Amino acid sequence: MSLHKAFEKGKFVVTSEIGPPKGTDTDDIRRLVDLYRGAVDAINATDNQSAVMRMSSLAVCKIILERGAEPILQMTCRDRNRIGLQSDLLGAHALGIRNVVVMTGDHVLAGDHRQAKPVYDVESVQLLNIINSLNNGADMAGNALKGNTCFFAGAVVTPEANPLEPQLMKFAKKIQAGAKYFQTQAIYDITMFKVFMGHARRHQAKVLAGIVVLKNERMAKYLNDNVAGIRVPQDLIAELAAAPNREEKQKAGIRIAARHIRRLREERICDGVHIMAIGMEGSVPAIMQQAGLLE
Amino acid sequence: MIITKKRDTKAVLENIRNYRRIFLVGCGECAALCATGGRPQLEQMKELLHAHGKEVTGMHLAKTGCQVLGTKRELSPHKEAIAAADCILALSCGAGAQTVVELNEDKPVCSANDSMYLGNMTRHQVFDERCSMCGECILDKTAGICPVTACPKGILIGPCGGVADGKCEVSPDLPCVWIRIYERMKKLDQLDEFSASVPSPKDWSRGARPHNGNAKEPKNSR
Ligand code: SF4
Ligand code: SF4
């Protein structure tokens, strides 16, 4: 079922993601697709995440598709100008890719090619406008296309941004520009997330809460100190710290993720989740099972 | 003003390694204010070159180094000293250096400075960049603060997801310009207007290089 259909049917949607490899070896991608297929509704292929050069998300989306799963093309504005972005969008469409999630993209200074020229010819809201235009049969310069696209466009949002109001304004602009769904930055505090959802529910767009699976308390502290817009509350850190060893800590991380997902679904707080199990991809089916999402 | 930075002494000496007699040209405007091309820097350079076995045939502090005609006039009394030099070393921005290039077709010109950006001087010899001369000013839509320049991503509709407690993702020392714009818009009661608008992508063709222009009114216009 397409991502669009899944939302339409009112399903509690689950997406996950695959970080493309550094190199040409695609075995891991296939292995992960096989693991996720049938469990999640769609799989993101990240776009040179954290500005670290990797295989193109477009190529990985095609592999996901060939392997029988629903891909979501992540597209940042960091590495391509408006010509490159539109050209890749047309190519993605021709290859059967229908879902796109756009974002401005981490600055090149965060990555492994710090000398690169950052592009940012357009940014996320403008890229959504471009997709809209391609969907309506014209490029952004107004030239007619021979065959238009029919992308299902989404974007990202940080529910715990500080200050929140400018983030909400941008969120509204993204919806205005055609974003139909959002994958959020990782959330760990459901009460805080509900505050954000109170604002988000004034709009039509679907929201998938970001779930990053914690491996241990060190990772939680790292996220708190280093990643903008992520805040792991102390009680969760304590819960991880209380687990005696590596394996038990991972189990605790899985338990926390599953507990949050279950609550988000049962209380109908949002429309689904986007699970990012960095380095713990294998745990996704277990998380879904514990959350009551798999029979 | 144009902000310049002195190049590494080693790099300067390396670039002029094949020349023994040097003529120096400084600039009395921006480079003087940046302490990269004023009178004291010309004197320091002369000493440095002497210490490295070079001969300085003469020097001139141009009034405004990027002003070609004026500099040409100023340099004419130095004809002989320039003729005696193997190379001219420009202590100015790259534009000033190229005035000297234009005026001396048969003489190598080296630059003693790196040209950095258009800057505001906030205190004595302290600068920050506020305008990157994009060719299509949007200050009227951004509460007078330029995101093209002050946001490392040049985002026209901000902030991005990287902002943390009002600071930019690129450096905790950098306030997120979009939070500054937001605060100022709030103060100026411009938020509603901003919410309703989506700025179109920038027209970079306006910034296509190289630029040239003519500020003179056409003869027949009033
Ligand atoms: S918008 Fe362009 S012209 Fe205006 S201040 Fe910024 S860089 Fe300069
Ligand atoms: S944090 Fe603010 S200033 Fe920094 S890149 Fe993002 S929008 Fe630009």
Side-chain angles (χ1 to χ4, degrees):
Chain A
M1 188 172 18
S2 74
L3 181 62
H4 186 190
K5 272 259 165 59
F7 278 125
E8 249 178 13
K9 289 203 158 161
K11 195 165 179 268
F12 187 81
V13 167
V14 180
T15 59
S16 192
E17 66 182 32
I18 290 180
K22 189 150 192 123
T24 56
D25 184 341
T26 54
D27 287 354
D28 282 347
I29 305 173
R30 289 172 222 278
R31 195 176 47 76
L32 284 176
V33 177
D34 291 348
L35 180 76
Y36 290 155
R37 193 181 43 229
V40 306
D41 296 288
I43 308 170
N44 282 32
T46 56
D47 179 7
N48 296 293
Q49 201 169 11
S50 307
V52 172
M53 191 287 294
R54 290 163 182 283
M55 182 184 288
S56 87
S57 53
L58 180 45
V60 173
C61 278
K62 178 64 178 166
I63 297 173
I64 295 173
L65 198 60
E66 279 173 353
R67 206 85 186 162
E70 172 90 349
I72 302 176
L73 177 69
Q74 236 186 41
M75 217 173 202
T76 73
C77 302
R78 178 190 54 235
D79 309 318
R80 285 160 289 185
N81 69 8
R82 60 191 82 181
I83 298 174
L85 290 167
Q86 292 181 99
S87 167
D88 278 355
L89 281 164
L90 295 182
H93 194 274
L95 294 177
I97 295 154
R98 294 292 178 268
N99 310 305
V100 190
V101 160
V102 309
M103 60 206 70
T104 306
D106 294 326
H107 197 276
V108 295
L109 289 174
D112 67 348
H113 284 64
R114 291 172 55 92
Q115 287 86 357
K117 180 172 186 174
V119 179
Y120 304 115
D121 181 22
V122 297
E123 55 68 79
S124 51
V125 178
Q126 292 162 342
L127 182 52
L128 286 162
N129 276 330
I130 291 173
I131 293 171
N132 225 340
S133 172
L134 298 178
N135 280 350
N136 286 307
D139 68 15
M140 72 180 289
N143 303 305
L145 301 176
K146 189 171 168 197
N148 52 342
T149 62
C150 49
F151 285 119
F152 185 48
V156 296
V157 66
T158 305
E160 292 203 30
N162 177 27
L164 182 60
E165 211 190 337
Q167 181 77 195
L168 289 174
M169 286 175 76
K170 191 147 181 182
F171 174 74
K173 277 182 196 289
K174 286 177 180 174
I175 294 169
Q176 220 179 310
K180 300 287 191 290
Y181 56 99
F182 285 81
Q183 293 174 329
T184 80
Q185 177 61 288
I187 57 128
Y188 292 99
D189 185 334
I190 308 281
T191 314
M192 286 285 287
F193 183 59
K194 277 174 144 176
V195 174
F196 166 77
M197 285 309 300
H199 296 286
R201 282 296 184 231
R202 286 192 221 127
H203 304 274
Q204 290 292 317
K206 305 285 185 185
V207 175
L208 304 178
I211 303 289
V212 169
V213 188
L214 297 168
K215 280 186 218 160
N216 48 42
E217 65 274 21
R218 246 200 359 237
M219 174 178 173
K221 284 180 197 147
Y222 178 86
L223 292 175
N224 278 351
D225 293 344
N226 296 290
V227 185
I230 296 190
R231 209 179 47 83
V232 187
Q234 281 310 319
D235 55 330
L236 295 186
I237 296 180
E239 188 174 339
L240 291 160
N245 54 41
R246 184 159 162 256
E247 207 176 311
E248 290 299 318
K249 285 182 197 297
Q250 292 202 352
K251 275 194 197 154
I254 291 170
R255 193 169 62 230
I256 291 168
R259 189 167 74 219
H260 285 173
I261 295 171
R262 185 181 281 275
R263 180 156 171 221
L264 291 167
R265 188 174 69 131
E266 285 177 357
E267 296 183 24
R268 298 174 170 279
I269 296 170
C270 57
D271 308 293
V273 285
H274 176 58
I275 307 175
M276 295 164 270
I278 310 142
M280 282 178 66
E281 287 86 355
S283 67
V284 171
I287 292 170
M288 293 181 67
Q289 195 106 41
Q290 284 186 35
L293 289 169
L294 294 177
E295 279 78 49
Chain B
M1 60 191 277
I2 309 300
I3 310 308
T4 43
K5 226 170 87 183
K6 279 186 192 172
R7 304 184 82 167
D8 200 39
T9 307
K10 260 210 327 245
V12 175
L13 291 171
E14 167 67 16
N15 290 340
I16 58 170
R17 69 187 180 283
N18 294 329
Y19 313 118
R20 212 184 64 76
R21 291 177 300 256
I22 317 283
F23 185 85
L24 304 177
V25 180
C27 169
E29 300 277 1
C30 314
L33 285 169
C34 292
T36 57
R39 180 69 63 195
Q41 290 77 43
L42 284 171
E43 295 294 344
Q44 280 161 16
M45 183 59 81
K46 184 176 165 184
E47 265 173 48
L48 180 92
L49 295 180
H50 278 163
H52 285 85
K54 311 272 185 195
E55 181 192 326
V56 173
T57 63
M59 61 165 76
H60 176 67
L61 180 67
K63 186 171 164 294
T64 307
C66 54
Q67 224 269 54
V68 182
L69 280 183
T71 307
K72 182 178 184 180
R73 227 175 293 126
E74 291 169 29
L75 282 179
S76 62
H78 296 280
K79 240 191 205 141
E80 278 168 25
I82 292 174
D86 304 322
C87 161
I88 303 174
L89 185 60
L91 285 75
S92 61
C93 69
Q98 290 179 77
T99 297
V100 181
V101 170
E102 180 178 335
L103 299 176
N104 296 278
E105 277 178 357
D106 50 1
K107 198 70 58 182
V109 176
C110 292
S111 181
N113 294 334
D114 285 322
S115 302
M116 310 300 292
Y117 53 93
L118 169 63
N120 288 43
M121 182 149 112
T122 51
R123 273 175 292 141
H124 181 59
Q125 285 171 13
V126 178
F127 312 102
D128 67 36
E129 186 179 23
R130 296 184 190 174
C131 169
S132 38
M133 303 192 286
C134 70
E136 184 191 32
C137 197
I138 58 159
L139 283 178
D140 49 324
K141 296 186 186 69
T142 55
I145 301 173
C146 174
V148 178
T149 307
C151 165
K153 300 179 189 173
I155 296 181
L156 304 185
I157 314 161
C160 75
V163 51
D165 298 330
K167 298 286 192 258
C168 174
E169 74 168 43
V170 167
S171 159
D173 301 327
L174 205 63
C176 168
V177 70
W178 270 103
I179 303 302
R180 285 175 54 213
I181 293 172
Y182 168 77
E183 296 296 344
R184 193 167 147 84
M185 278 182 175
K186 198 152 80 176
K187 227 182 270 169
L188 300 178
D189 204 15
Q190 294 178 343
L191 279 179
D192 287 346
E193 205 180 315
F194 176 71
S195 309
S197 74
V198 172
S200 43
K202 277 199 80 64
D203 175 2
W204 293 114
S205 71
R206 304 259 208 129
R209 291 192 158 127
H211 295 94
N212 49 53
N214 186 342
K216 274 187 228 153
E217 295 276 331
K219 281 239 167 62
N220 53 2
S221 85
R222 280 169 214 213

